Amino acid sequence: MATPLSGCVNSLQSSISLLGSSISILDSGVNDFPRLAKVLQTTRHFELLPESHLQAAQASLLASITPELSSLLNRVETHLDKLARREQALIAKYELQEGRLSSNQGSGAGQSKSRSTQSQGHLGKVERRYGNDEDSQEEDELEQGREQLRLKQMRQKKERLSYAVERLTLQAQQKERQLRMSMAA
């Protein structure tokens, strides 16, 4: 009877050694499992949303911003109109004062001299008729000087106005760019 049991014992011992080696192999494979679980764990940095949710959020944001944006744009337009009117008033005031200043400088001693110049001009015309050539020549030179002064003033005024128009055009273009950028953003 010892022989049939010895075969079972041998078979059981080989099974035990096979199970032991299997356990050691599994232990070496599973030993690194907590680290692998941590490495393989996925972290979601960004949450993914369906496109319908994004479109709904954009529509609600647009609906809340549009009235405020339009009121702000209206305020900006009224303020720009106000500034443009003020600028035009200041330009007109400047031109008026410059004209007064240049007329005072051109006439020299003010109205009394301009009156005497007017009377001399009348006398010069009378003397020209009667043959006083030296005085008429001086009057012609004086008249040419006045015309040149008036021409110079008109050129300066033209330059000022063209500069003002150019500046206003550039400002309008800049405001349009800013408006387009704010609408695009």
Side-chain angles (χ1 to χ4, degrees), residues 43 45 54 60-61 74-75 86 92 97 103 107 127 134-135 139 167 170 179 182 184:
T43 56
H45 294 288
L54 287 176
S60 67
L61 185 62
N74 288 337
R75 285 176 55 193
R86 183 171 179 221
Q97 289 177 352
S103 67
S107 64
E127 288 176 348
E134 290 179 12
D135 288 338
E139 284 298 318
R167 187 168 38 88
L170 289 175
L179 180 63
S182 66

Side-chain angles (χ1 to χ4, degrees), residues 118-140:
Q118 288 175 356
S119 63
Q120 286 176 359
H122 180 68
L123 287 175
K125 289 178 185 176
V126 170
E127 288 176 348
R128 254 185 268 144
R129 286 184 194 160
Y130 296 108
N132 193 346
D133 289 334
E134 290 179 12
D135 288 338
S136 66
Q137 190 176 15
E138 290 176 7
E139 284 298 318
D140 287 341

Side-chain angles (χ1 to χ4, degrees), residues 3-133:
T3 342
L5 285 176
S6 69
C8 279
V9 169
N10 286 337
S11 171
L12 186 61
Q13 284 178 349
S14 69
S15 293
I16 288 174
S17 68
L18 181 65
L19 281 175
S21 67
S22 296
I23 288 173
S24 67
I25 290 172
L26 282 174
D27 189 34
S28 67
V30 176
N31 189 21
D32 203 21
F33 184 70
R35 187 185 70 81
L36 286 175
K38 188 173 182 179
V39 167
L40 295 176
Q41 182 181 8
T42 59
T43 56
R44 296 173 75 180
H45 294 288
F46 303 103
E47 187 158 342
L48 301 176
L49 296 175
E51 191 171 338
S52 61
H53 289 276
L54 287 176
Q55 289 175 348
Q58 286 176 343
S60 67
L61 185 62
L62 184 65
S64 66
I65 289 177
T66 302
E68 293 178 31
L69 187 62
S70 63
S71 68
L72 287 173
L73 287 175
N74 288 337
R75 285 176 55 193
V76 166
E77 287 176 4
T78 55
H79 188 67
L80 286 175
D81 290 341
K82 186 177 170 183
L83 286 175
R85 286 191 304 269
R86 183 171 179 221
E87 182 182 15
Q88 292 298 326
L90 288 173
I91 288 172
K93 184 178 178 181
Y94 167 75
E95 290 172 356
L96 178 66
Q97 289 177 352
E98 186 180 24
R100 288 179 182 168
L101 184 65
S102 65
S103 67
N104 284 342
Q105 287 175 351
S107 64
Q111 288 183 353
S112 62
K113 187 165 183 174
S114 65
R115 285 183 187 155
S116 66
T117 306
Q118 288 175 356
S119 63
Q120 286 176 359
H122 180 68
L123 287 175
K125 289 178 185 176
V126 170
E127 288 176 348
R128 254 185 268 144
R129 286 184 194 160
Y130 296 108
N132 193 346
D133 289 334

